Amino acid sequence: MKVTIIGIGLIGGSIAISLKENGFADHIIGVDRSQENLDKAVRRRLIDEDLSFEKGVAAADVIIISTPVDTLIDLVPKVLDLIKPEQTVLDVGSTKAPILKAIENHPNRKSFVATHPMAGTEFSGPEAAIPNLFENKCTVICDGEGSSKSAVITVKELYESMNMSIIRMNSVDHDVHAAYVSHISHLSSFALALTVLEKEKNEKAIFQLASGGFSSTVRLAKSSAAMWTPIFSQNRDNVLDVLDEHINSLAKFRTLLIKKDFNKISELIEEANRIRKILK
Ligand code: NAP
């Protein structure tokens, strides 16, 4: 199978490694707006060659679009304009309703499958691509009834070759759930990093004390603005709803601290510990 990956960064590059290793792809083409990233991807052997947008789209059986979510609104229709009926196109963006809305009336809508592989790290670019990133994780396929059966089968086979399980969901529900399980954690990590950077001007002290809770809680704050700003923009309403609930939870702790009600704080912590049963 010939696969073209548009956007050869963390996710695109990690998919390239997996598909080459497991034999799903025998030839991988990279397309990117950054020639520097393409050169790095060739040097790291993530891709076999880099081509222009038009040539890259024409040359592949499967086209994976792995660029920030704001760029998908423009790129996915452009790819769909160029493809033949036997080609399959998928995106891997972290929001799903806006892109599906953007292509709902495209004549080649059926060749497109909207997906979100639920795996990642806080790093970006082709140097961040790693093997086994997706191993035993899940991928969400959204509004799959709008895609042709054969396109969905190809995309399922692609993800299953990477040992991923598939969940099907409608795009509106996906964006609500993604706000809860992913987007709010990034927002609160960015906020926590800002709070501590503001309060603790002595960076050496942060570094020395950061081995435990701080460093794991604030890890996501290393994530790139280029990827996250468009996600917050596209999923603004859902993120705002979740953020309001989060602010209420923080305010609860604040009130109890002011009242010195440590029994109630202990109860709240035990209630929060229920997350252990869900995330083992
Ligand atoms: P990334 O590491 O920054 O890679 C994105 C690549 O796309 C970069 O090489 C970037 O080049 C290139 N690019 C940007 N705009 C482009 C355009 N208009 N045309 C062609 N190439 C373009 O980002 P990523 O973390 O892999 O994220 C890619 C997608 O995966 C996003 O939609 C994101 O929502 C989704 N996703 C991310 C994660 C995660 O944890 N990171 C998890 C699941 C899904 P420049 O360096 O020049 O910008």
Side-chain angles (χ1 to χ4, degrees):
M1 188 85 79
K2 271 194 179 183
V3 174
T4 287
I5 300 178
I6 303 177
I8 195 80
L10 164 71
I11 298 296
S14 301
I15 291 177
I17 296 174
S18 296
L19 295 184
K20 206 59 189 289
E21 260 178 19
N22 67 31
F24 183 92
D26 47 40
H27 191 79
I28 298 194
I29 297 155
V31 172
D32 202 288
R33 68 170 179 189
S34 157
Q35 188 56 46
E36 195 188 331
N37 285 355
L38 287 167
D39 292 343
K40 281 182 193 160
V42 170
R43 275 201 302 278
R44 283 202 64 197
R45 296 175 197 273
L46 303 177
I47 56 175
D48 297 296
E49 62 175 327
D50 70 274
L51 289 179
S52 67
F53 182 81
E54 287 75 12
K55 284 185 179 161
V57 170
D61 304 298
V62 175
I63 298 133
I64 303 172
I65 313 178
S66 182
T67 58
V69 292
D70 54 336
T71 64
L72 295 175
I73 305 294
D74 185 44
L75 279 177
V76 175
K78 272 191 186 151
V79 172
L80 291 179
D81 287 345
L82 295 175
I83 58 161
K84 296 186 218 69
E86 62 274 16
Q87 291 177 292
T88 299
V89 182
L90 61 139
D91 81 310
V92 297
S94 304
T95 51
K96 294 272 67 92
I99 182 55
L100 280 156
K101 182 92 194 120
I103 52 102
E104 67 184 340
N105 296 321
H106 195 287
N108 290 334
R109 161 69 183 93
K110 284 202 165 308
S111 301
F112 175 69
V113 183
T115 80
H116 182 192
M118 303 298 291
T121 74
E122 64 275 31
F123 303 113
S124 41
E127 52 278 82
I130 49 173
N132 304 324
L133 177 64
F134 306 101
E135 191 81 14
N136 299 322
K137 303 277 173 30
C138 82
T139 288
V140 186
I141 291 183
C142 287
D143 301 357
E145 62 287 351
S147 312
S148 72
K149 240 183 188 167
S150 66
V152 173
I153 288 171
T154 302
V155 169
K156 277 179 80 177
E157 284 173 357
L158 181 149
Y159 282 117
E160 282 165 1
S161 79
M162 306 197 302
N163 286 330
M164 298 190 85
S165 53
I166 314 276
I167 296 175
R168 294 184 70 150
M169 204 180 272
N170 80 57
S171 54
V172 173
D173 288 349
H174 166 277
D175 288 1
V176 172
H177 293 307
Y180 273 96
V181 299
S182 168
H183 304 173
I184 189 67
S185 7
H186 282 81
L187 201 63
S188 49
S189 191
F190 292 130
L192 180 62
L194 288 176
T195 309
V196 176
L197 287 171
E198 182 54 35
K199 280 277 176 203
E200 183 56 278
K201 297 287 185 198
N202 180 350
E203 288 183 21
K204 205 169 162 205
I206 298 183
F207 183 71
Q208 282 165 348
L209 299 174
S211 56
F214 178 68
S215 133
S216 55
T217 318
V218 91
R219 176 179 66 82
L220 299 176
K222 297 174 190 164
S223 306
S224 93
M227 187 187 130
W228 279 97
T229 314
I231 292 175
F232 293 139
S233 161
Q234 287 195 356
N235 209 18
R236 174 181 169 273
D237 291 350
N238 291 323
V239 174
L240 269 176
D241 285 347
V242 185
L243 188 59
D244 285 345
E245 284 175 39
H246 187 46
I247 290 170
N248 285 340
S249 299
L250 287 173
K252 253 190 219 168
F253 277 105
R254 182 175 188 274
T255 308
L256 295 172
L257 279 170
I258 291 169
K259 287 188 187 163
K260 298 184 182 169
D261 187 347
F262 295 104
N263 286 333
K264 190 77 190 135
I265 285 185
S266 174
E267 278 174 28
L268 278 187
I269 294 173
E270 280 171 10
E271 207 180 314
N273 288 160
R274 281 193 295 128
I275 204 80
R276 283 186 199 147
K277 285 196 182 137
I278 301 167
L279 293 177
K280 288 180 186 129

